[in-house]
Amino acid sequence: MHALTSLVVVPLAITTKFTLSPEQWVTRLARLHNAQLPELELLDAYYEGEQRCPACIRSCCGA
């Protein structure tokens, strides 16, 4: 059974100036998405019923 892990939090600089090229933005977004895939796949398995939810989730969600 997989343990529910925390989401990956990636700090982003707050700026109105876009210093990355379009290719760099795509690469950055793809890397951020790929870093979240394991967590997303686990949550999808819970949703699809392929993985049993941990007791802590069942107790707070009434599942």
Side-chain angles (χ1 to χ4, degrees):
M1 179 184 287
H2 292 60
L4 185 63
T5 59
S6 62
L7 292 175
V8 176
V9 177
V10 179
L12 299 174
I14 298 174
T15 179
T16 56
K17 184 177 178 182
F18 297 101
T19 57
L20 298 177
S21 70
E23 293 82 15
Q24 290 171 319
W25 274 111
V26 170
T27 300
R28 180 181 183 151
L29 292 173
R31 286 183 180 154
L32 289 172
H33 173 73
N34 289 342
Q36 293 178 333
L37 279 178
E39 179 73 14
L40 294 172
E41 289 170 349
L42 179 61
L43 293 173
D44 183 56
Y46 290 144
Y47 178 78
E48 295 292 335
E50 299 166 1
Q51 176 75 28
R52 186 165 165 78
C53 292
C56 60
I57 293 176
R58 289 192 308 270
S59 65
C60 73
C61 296

